[in-house]
Amino acid sequence: MATSNNPFYELSSDARNLLTIETFRENVSTTDFIERISAEVIEQMNDKDENIVNAFDPKSLIRTFENVLEELQQLKTRVQQQCIELESSTQSAELEHKKNITDLHDAFEDVYRSYDNLETRIGDVGKTAIRIGEQLETMDKERSKASESRDIIEYFMEFQDGNTERLDALRQGGEEGQLKTAIIGRRLSAIAKEVDNDPETRVAIEKFCESFEKEMLEEFGKAYEEGDPRIMAHCAKVLFEFNGGASCVQTYVNQHEFFMSNIKIEEIDNVRDSEDNADLSNPNVLPPEVDTSLVKLYDDIRITVRREAGIISSVFPQPATVMQVLLQRIFAQSIQDHIELLLTRSKRYSHLAYLRTLASTHSETKRLIENLKFYCDKEVSLKDTADTNGLVASASPEETLDRCMDDLFVPYTEGDRYLKKEIESLRELFGKIVSEFLSAMQRRKMTSTRNQSVLTRTLNQISASTLSSPDPSHSPTSGTNPFEKASSEKNSNIIILDDSDFVLLSQDAIIRVLNIHAEAVIRCVELQDSQELGSSLKQIYNVLVDYIGHKYQDIVLDEILDDLSTLKEPELACFSVIKSSISIIQLMQKHFETAMLPLVISNPSTHRDILFSKNNFISSLEKKINIVLQKSIDGIIYWLSELLSRQKKNDFRPRDEEVTMMSMGTQPCVQSVDFIACVYHSVSNSLQKKNLESFLRRVGHAFHSMLLDHFKKFYVTPTGGLLVTKDIAKYQEIIKMFKLPALDERFEMLRQLGNIFVVKPEILKSILSEGYLARLDPSILYPYLEKRVDFKTAKLDRLLGISIDENNRTVTNDEPVSNNSNKVKTQRRSLFVNDNEVLKDIMKNYTHNRDFLSAFNLS
């Protein structure tokens, strides 16, 4: 370290120890560093015995700091020099490292090239070895073929000489000898067929082969009876080598106990009827389960196949081929015959019995197929080994089962065979139900002069489709309606409305129709191919719409419209018809949502077509229902007017004895009230909510207008006024049943109007100044007051301020009466006060004020 330029202020040893690189290797506080440097100087200054004023001498600190700065500068120089040296050495080391890496990379590339060359040489050696091996294998095959050909020629020559001792000895040489004998016998048989000039040798070879095959088959049959799978496997292997094993497989299948016992079962089933046939033709009960005899057969098949799958896989060298033969035999001999028996027997009963049997057997057979696939594939692996040519010709058990399933039901479901029978069955079943209604309606019309052509034509169409049924009980008899029997059964599908002869199908009958259709849909899903399912469902649904819509609902509504068109008391049966039609719409909608929609929602075109058919049916039905409602309103209004027209001229001018007789009201009033009560009960049971309110409101408005006009026509005595008020009270009471506030206000006004016939002339003015009457112009009240017998004697016209001119026109007293009829001034009639809601409501029913006035005979 260099010495300080000022020798009088040398740094202490402690300060010099601080001026090293180690002090600054870590974070150093500048304040702490200065304090440590100046600490010794301050101590020396405190030790001097000088005055307090001169106690602090900054020169010593300045000199110390100057020396420290000089030392720090020198230290900085040394550190920088060391950094430069280290950077230089680092660069040299880095260059050396890169050189070493490059040398190693080149060395590795040399090694990789060496390995590639070695691998290429090894590959060449391997290819050479493979070629040598192939050549050796070819030579060995040729040598084996030559040896075998030589042996075959020698055996053939021995047969020519009639000497078969060597082959017989090989035949008796145990299992290995039998296997070799089978191979030699197969080859000798092939040669004998090609050699035409030595028939004797060919015959000898054929006899030997037949004898050998018979011997092996007998040994196989004996082992089969004894249950020895090892001997069976040996014989099967020998016979498969000898002639493909066809005879062995046939022996195994033909002797199987399943086919022997099943023949007896079928013989029994041929002569007895199944206990499940009772309900097959009854559409009103759920379809029976699968025929018990078929269930028993399928259970036996499951047990047999499950057991035999293990035996076949352990005995035969090609188990899939054997299982294929067994399954084909089971389906062809047992299942097909049994199903044909069931279908033939059910076809004699009805279309429904046939279709139910077909669907149930198809479903049960499909379940059997799935079980057999599981037994063959999951429990025991049935895979054929390659044949001598390296190929496997037989199909897998799964493919065999699928083909058997198709072959079994193709004769019944191919094309439109099933769909035709399904549609025939639906037409037959629907026709039996609808025909009861048509027959009853036809009998009803026999007493009428109206046209019967629509009923007769529809009945004939249904009759033609139903008489095609194979059921002999439905065959027609001469001179009788084929459907007469149906309507006389205990469980009739029709209901008679009240005391009239009008008939409807019961709701239970409609539900039965929908249940029959739902069952047909289920069968269609089961039996139809997925590609044809949409089209089939559409056709089946159209049959339902045709019978429920065209052959039933259209005729019902047309008939009730005909009844409503006559000028007589309207048929209240129309409301039961409307209720039935609304119920059918709801049931059809529910049936579509539950039975049809889930099946067609994924097929846009079919969904669109069926939805259009359903909506068109409902829309057409709703339009006809609205027409019936309008006709019924017209009929009710007409009949009310007819009842009111029966009011006698002197009903309200009765004699004393007549008052007692009419204490409950006049006869037209009683009849009208009774009729309205009947209408209300019928309508309230058929319509709901807004529809009911709208219907009752229209009837109430029309009846109110008729009554306003009605009471202008009859003169009323004081006693007769009591009858008027009684009649009006009854009208008001029956209208209150409607529970419509607007109508209640109208008939309250009518009640107040009726009071003017009862009160004495002197208090009439006070009556006219109260309630609704106070809001009416006197000219409106005049036609009613004029019918009081005391109108002139009591001078009631003066009371109202109204008089009669020469032309019988009502004029107010403050208006001069003109003698010139051509100069009559326009009269001002204030009909109601603006805040009168009842009169405003009445006014809404008229287009112009003139029409409103004419309703009161004031125009």
Side-chain angles (χ1 to χ4, degrees), residues 10 12 43 156 235 290 451 527 612 679 696 705 759:
E10 291 291 337
S12 63
E43 290 178 0
F156 188 80
C235 295
V290 187
N451 187 18
L527 297 172
F612 174 79
V679 170
L696 295 177
S705 299
V759 299

Side-chain angles (χ1 to χ4, degrees), residues 192-207:
K193 292 178 181 178
E194 295 179 0
V195 177
D196 297 332
N197 56 1
D198 195 351
E200 295 180 358
T201 304
R202 183 173 66 251
V203 172
I205 293 173
E206 290 176 354
K207 288 182 179 181

Side-chain angles (χ1 to χ4, degrees), residues 697-813:
R697 185 180 296 109
R698 294 183 63 181
V699 172
H701 287 176
F703 187 50
H704 179 265
S705 299
M706 283 190 289
L707 289 176
L708 286 176
D709 186 63
H710 178 69
F711 289 113
K712 297 177 185 177
K713 301 176 182 179
F714 303 96
Y715 286 98
V716 183
T717 63
T719 306
L722 294 175
L723 295 177
V724 171
T725 56
K726 287 182 180 180
D727 283 1
I728 293 177
K730 285 188 173 294
Y731 295 142
Q732 186 179 18
E733 181 182 1
I734 195 65
I735 292 300
K736 284 183 179 179
M737 292 175 60
F738 293 1
K739 298 179 181 179
L740 296 177
L743 288 180
D744 292 342
E745 292 181 1
R746 283 173 174 263
F747 279 83
E748 174 60 23
M749 185 197 74
L750 185 64
R751 184 191 67 79
Q752 295 179 15
L753 183 63
N755 290 337
I756 68 176
F757 295 108
V758 183
V759 299
K760 295 180 179 180
E762 53 269 23
I763 63 173
L764 183 60
K765 189 170 184 178
S766 63
I767 293 295
L768 296 178
S769 62
E770 297 176 355
Y772 290 106
L773 301 183
R775 303 176 184 181
L776 295 177
D777 191 271
S779 59
I780 296 177
L781 300 174
Y782 184 86
Y784 301 100
L785 289 173
E786 187 183 19
K787 295 303 179 182
R788 287 178 57 125
V789 295
D790 59 351
F791 178 76
K792 292 183 179 181
T793 58
K795 298 182 181 180
L796 297 182
D797 54 342
R798 295 181 182 180
L799 178 66
L800 296 176
I802 295 177
S803 59
I804 306 298
D805 64 6
E806 294 178 353
N807 297 316
N808 291 328
R809 296 169 58 87
T810 57
V811 295
T812 58
N813 288 340

Side-chain angles (χ1 to χ4, degrees), residues 339-513:
I339 289 178
E340 287 179 356
L341 172 67
L342 293 176
L343 291 176
T344 302
R345 190 166 53 196
S346 63
K347 197 171 185 179
R348 294 197 301 266
Y349 301 137
S350 66
H351 286 137
L352 180 61
Y354 171 80
L355 292 171
R356 281 179 165 180
T357 303
L358 180 62
S360 62
T361 54
H362 187 277
S363 175
E364 187 66 17
T365 305
K366 187 163 61 175
R367 192 162 68 91
L368 172 67
I369 293 293
E370 296 301 323
N371 295 149
L372 297 183
K373 285 182 179 180
F374 176 80
Y375 299 150
C376 296
D377 184 43
K378 301 298 181 183
E379 296 193 2
V380 181
S381 179
L382 296 174
K383 301 295 182 183
D384 280 355
T385 57
D387 59 12
T388 56
N389 296 322
L391 301 175
V392 178
S394 61
S396 66
E398 291 80 3
E399 294 172 347
T400 301
L401 288 169
D402 291 336
R403 187 167 60 250
C404 289
M405 181 72 177
D406 294 338
D407 294 342
L408 194 61
F409 288 97
V410 159
Y412 311 105
T413 60
E414 186 178 18
D416 59 350
R417 295 179 183 177
Y418 154 72
L419 187 60
K420 280 185 176 180
K421 292 189 177 297
E422 189 68 74
I423 292 176
E424 288 177 5
S425 174
L426 288 177
R427 293 185 185 278
E428 173 190 344
L429 297 173
F430 293 169
K432 291 177 182 177
I433 295 175
V434 175
S435 63
E436 292 187 42
F437 158 76
L438 294 174
S439 298
M441 293 298 291
Q442 193 176 47
R443 289 193 298 271
R444 179 174 179 265
K445 276 203 168 185
M446 285 181 180
T447 58
S448 173
T449 58
R450 283 178 288 172
N451 187 18
Q452 303 181 29
S453 60
V454 177
L455 280 173
T456 305
R457 182 170 62 254
T458 307
L459 191 59
N460 291 336
Q461 290 176 357
I462 298 177
S463 176
S465 63
T466 308
L467 291 179
S468 61
S469 169
D471 189 351
S473 64
H474 296 148
S475 59
T477 58
S478 59
T480 60
N481 191 321
F483 302 108
E484 290 293 333
K485 180 181 177 180
S487 61
S488 63
E489 294 177 354
K490 292 183 179 180
N491 297 326
S492 178
N493 293 312
I494 62 175
I495 54 175
I496 300 177
L497 302 180
D498 300 329
D499 296 331
S500 66
D501 293 332
F502 202 93
V503 295
L504 290 175
L505 287 179
S506 64
Q507 186 172 12
D508 290 340
I510 299 300
I511 293 175
R512 282 196 292 271
V513 168

